[in-house]
């Protein structure tokens, strides 16, 4: 079965920081977003979208201390059947006229297509006591703490 997706905007990284720039036709969708501190951004791993990546279902130990072989659904790898990514991003400000959402961080490259934006709501997006495997228990417990964490000590690439 085939599905058609249409980007609603792009990630922009420049000297002023990071923002999501919406296509003009989607700007009305920002109405009533003010007041939310965070958004969930669904984006396309466009720089990693290729046949080899879409057919890679297992990878060799991407993280220190992880199992020797991991299935792609147990990783946040860009190599996956559908290269869709999800990032919870803190909103710095919204320009409702220009259709621009300035965010504190998103792990996407410049010009990455944005597929959708949803408000982060604790009732749907927060898990009070998530369970994780032993090998990643020492990772940061929040996106805020992740910013200053030395991820170089975790990844094997």
């Amino acid at each position: 079965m085939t599905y058609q997706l249409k980007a609603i905007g792009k990630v922009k990284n420049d000297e002023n920081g990071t923002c999501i720039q919406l296509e003009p036709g989607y700007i009305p969708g920002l109405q009533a977003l003010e007041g939310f501190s965070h958004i969930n951004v669904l984006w396309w791993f466009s720089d990693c979208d290729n046949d080899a990546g879409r057919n890679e279902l297992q990878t060799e130990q991407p993280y220190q201390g992880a199992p020797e072989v991991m299935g792609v659904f147990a990783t946040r790898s860009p190599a996956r059947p559908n290269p869709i990514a999800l990032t919870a991003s803190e909103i710095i400000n919204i320009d409702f006229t220009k259709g621009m959402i300035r965010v504190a961080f998103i792990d996407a490259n410049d010009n990455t297509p944005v597929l959708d934006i949803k408000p982060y709501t604790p009732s749907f997006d927060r898990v009070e006591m998530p369970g994780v495997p032993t090998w990643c228990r020492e990772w940061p417990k929040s996106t805020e703490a992740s910013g200053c964490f030395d991820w170089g000590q975790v990844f094997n690439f």
Side-chain angles (χ1 to χ4, degrees):
M1 189 172 290
T2 301
Y3 298 94
Q4 184 176 7
L5 297 173
K6 191 172 181 182
I8 63 167
K10 291 187 176 187
V11 172
K12 292 298 193 182
N13 295 308
D14 59 27
E15 63 280 351
N16 298 318
T18 302
C19 72
I20 296 164
Q21 178 64 61
L22 293 183
E23 294 294 331
Y26 295 102
I27 293 173
L30 293 174
Q31 183 150 352
L33 190 58
E34 68 272 1
F36 287 99
S37 66
H38 291 73
I39 51 176
N40 284 317
V41 183
L42 290 154
W43 50 277
W44 196 260
F45 273 118
S46 56
D47 293 345
C48 302
D49 189 1
N50 56 58
D51 288 338
R54 284 176 172 252
N55 289 301
E56 186 175 315
L57 296 178
Q58 293 183 325
T59 186
E60 292 184 27
Q61 196 178 44
Y63 314 111
Q64 295 287 324
E68 287 185 30
V69 176
M70 294 181 67
V72 68
F73 303 132
T75 74
R76 294 185 65 95
S77 169
R80 46 197 333 107
N82 293 301
I84 298 171
L86 169 68
T87 304
S89 296
E90 181 181 6
I91 298 170
I92 295 173
N93 71 339
I94 304 170
D95 184 325
F96 291 93
T97 304
K98 294 180 180 176
M100 189 180 334
I101 307 169
R102 180 125 346 247
V103 295
F105 172 79
I106 188 168
D107 50 338
N109 295 333
D110 191 42
N111 290 316
T112 295
V114 173
L115 302 176
D116 203 358
I117 297 166
K118 298 179 185 300
Y120 175 94
T121 55
S123 54
F124 291 112
D125 301 315
R126 182 173 180 213
V127 176
E128 292 285 340
M129 298 176 63
V132 296
T134 305
W135 54 266
C136 65
R137 283 212 178 111
E138 300 306 316
W139 291 9
K141 306 292 186 247
S142 69
T143 59
E144 293 84 0
S146 292
C148 58
F149 183 73
D150 179 11
W151 287 102
Q153 70 181 351
V154 171
F155 294 110
N156 284 331
F157 49 86

